[in-house]
Amino acid sequence: MTTSEPHRSAAGDSLPPNGVGGASALKAIRLKHPWRNTFAVVLVVIFALFVIDAAQRPAYDWPSVGKYLFDSRVSAAALVTLELTVLAMFFAIILGVSLAIMRLSPNPVVKGVAWFYLWIFRGTPVYVQLVFWGLIAIIYKTIDIGLPFSEPWVTFSTNDLIGAFWLAVIGLALNEAAYMAEIVRAGLLSVDKGQEEAATALGMGWFQTMRRVILPQAMRVIIPPTGNEVISMLKTTSLVTAVPLSTELYSRTRDISAETFNPIPLLIVASIWYLAFTSVLMVGQYFLERYFARGVGDRRPDRGTTATGTLPVIGGNQPTVITGAAPVQGADAGDQPIDPGHGGTRS
């Protein structure tokens, strides 16, 4: 083999001009994973045994589960749980966004106030906070409106003005706002500073920059943890008995079980309702994530000219066969194929 014959192999056989015909086909063999398959079978068997055993356990009392699953009292309590979740998350998101902006403020006083809020509400258990809000009428017996150090213009009784439902909403929202603030702040910080500078150079104001440039990119980071927080809030509503509020799902099923002296079926009923709501929220979170992740992670390579031929292997005696769709990149990529016999230059 001489340098004047670049397309001749070490054995002396010449390749066709396209450099493909002489290449032997490679056969891919799938790796076997016997232990992985065995583990999967074991999991299926364990799950099937659990279901069969649960179906035969008298303590579960499945007829009572079916009886109370769509009971009017349980359905009304499930609606109250949804209302608590939606209202608490609505106010928590509004307050969380405000706190996140305050945390990013260059003003040290504003930043310090936001940090102190997060320190208090993230550092104490939500159950303790709900108990505190349940006792708020003892601390503040009346709510006065007027000028400081003067007679109030209007006075309201705290118990008459704020009921247990709204106390639960306030307690849940204030606690959740501390976590939403950190989620929003992380999303805003994930956007490159150059995006804001470019928007400012184009003459956009702060609000327009946030709405059109920063938030659409930050939502990709904000949506997943926010969805988790919504699901967590749905389950946290079971703690509002500390206010006390006894009209939500868990408290209502607990009261019914106290009447029937059969708590296990009612716990299953509550769990089924929670699972149903959580499943719907997970589906909504999936579509939101996909909507805000458009154009990220699904980029396809540009369609260019397909290059087919042979390239020499440095330090070897056998040329490498190139087949398939190898796009030709660059501004000067045209419709002309690469001639493998001229060192990859255009013919």
Side-chain angles (χ1 to χ4, degrees), residues 15 18-21 23 306-313 319-327 338 340:
L15 292 173
N18 58 5
V20 180
T306 300
T308 303
T310 59
L311 292 175
V313 179
T320 302
V321 179
I322 305 299
T323 61
I338 294 176

Side-chain angles (χ1 to χ4, degrees), residues 54-79:
Q56 298 174 351
R57 292 278 178 178
Y60 288 116
D61 196 0
W62 295 107
S64 295
V65 173
K67 175 183 177 182
Y68 290 104
L69 183 60
F70 297 104
D71 187 272
S72 58
R73 294 170 293 178
V74 176
S75 302
L79 180 60

Side-chain angles (χ1 to χ4, degrees), residues 101-134:
I101 295 174
M102 291 171 64
R103 285 271 284 157
L104 297 175
S105 173
N107 190 315
V109 176
V110 175
K111 183 184 297 185
V113 170
W115 180 89
F116 182 78
Y117 180 97
L118 269 61
W119 177 63
I120 292 293
F121 284 93
R122 292 176 65 192
T124 55
V126 61
Y127 191 84
V128 174
Q129 297 174 28
L130 291 173
V131 172
F132 180 87
W133 284 105

Side-chain angles (χ1 to χ4, degrees), residues 47-161:
F47 177 76
L49 291 176
F50 174 78
V51 172
I52 294 173
D53 179 76
Q56 298 174 351
R57 292 278 178 178
Y60 288 116
D61 196 0
W62 295 107
S64 295
V65 173
K67 175 183 177 182
Y68 290 104
L69 183 60
F70 297 104
D71 187 272
S72 58
R73 294 170 293 178
V74 176
S75 302
L79 180 60
V80 173
T81 296
L82 277 181
E83 292 175 350
L84 284 171
T85 303
V86 172
L87 290 173
M89 284 304 304
F90 174 76
F91 293 116
I93 291 174
I94 294 177
L95 183 56
V97 172
S98 302
L99 289 169
I101 295 174
M102 291 171 64
R103 285 271 284 157
L104 297 175
S105 173
N107 190 315
V109 176
V110 175
K111 183 184 297 185
V113 170
W115 180 89
F116 182 78
Y117 180 97
L118 269 61
W119 177 63
I120 292 293
F121 284 93
R122 292 176 65 192
T124 55
V126 61
Y127 191 84
V128 174
Q129 297 174 28
L130 291 173
V131 172
F132 180 87
W133 284 105
L135 300 174
I136 195 69
I138 298 177
I139 304 172
Y140 303 99
K141 299 182 183 298
T142 60
I143 298 177
D144 302 328
I145 300 177
L147 295 176
F149 310 108
S150 64
E151 290 295 327
W153 302 335
V154 183
T155 300
F156 299 97
S157 173
T158 304
N159 282 328
D160 296 337
L161 186 63

Side-chain angles (χ1 to χ4, degrees), residues 37-54:
N37 298 333
T38 303
F39 183 67
V41 171
V42 170
L43 288 179
V44 171
V45 171
I46 293 176
F47 177 76
L49 291 176
F50 174 78
V51 172
I52 294 173
D53 179 76

Side-chain angles (χ1 to χ4, degrees), residues 206-220:
W206 180 87
F207 182 78
Q208 194 175 20
T209 300
M210 292 294 295
R211 184 171 63 90
R212 293 189 175 185
V213 179
I214 304 299
L215 282 180
Q217 300 180 67
M219 291 299 288
R220 194 165 45 87

Side-chain angles (χ1 to χ4, degrees), residues 296-312:
V296 178
D298 58 352
R299 298 188 181 96
R300 297 180 181 178
D302 298 333
R303 294 182 179 180
T305 306
T306 300
T308 303
T310 59
L311 292 175

